[in-house]
Amino acid sequence: MDRPAFGIVERFAGDYAVIEMDGETRNVPRSLLAEDVGVNDVVEWADGKWIRNARATQERSASIKKLMDSLWED
């Protein structure tokens, strides 16, 4: 099965993680995620598992914070 290289974890639902990939959400068995993956993490497919991409997650969080701050400026 072809998988996109990156995704964003939207939520967990039972034994599945809901991951947004290429504008679509997919239910992925939690067993295919590394143990440290959480909601809102950017993940990438590597060595048979979805692993957390710490750098991309941090950059995404900073970008969202900057956008939120700009919306709340006086």
Side-chain angles (χ1 to χ4, degrees):
M1 174 170 144
D2 270 349
R3 289 189 171 83
F6 291 92
I8 299 167
V9 179
E10 288 191 352
R11 66 184 178 277
F12 293 106
D15 292 334
Y16 292 89
V18 179
I19 301 179
E20 186 274 322
M21 296 178 255
D22 295 331
E24 298 180 10
T25 57
R26 300 184 190 175
N27 294 330
V28 175
R30 283 180 112 166
S31 61
L32 294 179
L33 274 69
E35 291 182 16
D36 66 339
V37 172
V39 173
N40 296 321
D41 281 347
V42 177
V43 291
E44 61 184 304
W45 184 252
D47 299 325
K49 277 208 180 269
W50 287 100
I51 61 170
R52 182 176 186 270
N53 183 315
R55 181 176 169 192
T57 297
Q58 182 179 14
E59 288 172 359
R60 181 174 181 271
S61 293
S63 175
I64 291 169
K65 182 181 181 329
K66 184 177 178 180
L67 177 62
M68 298 266 309
D69 289 347
S70 73
L71 291 173
W72 297 111
E73 286 181 354
D74 290 333

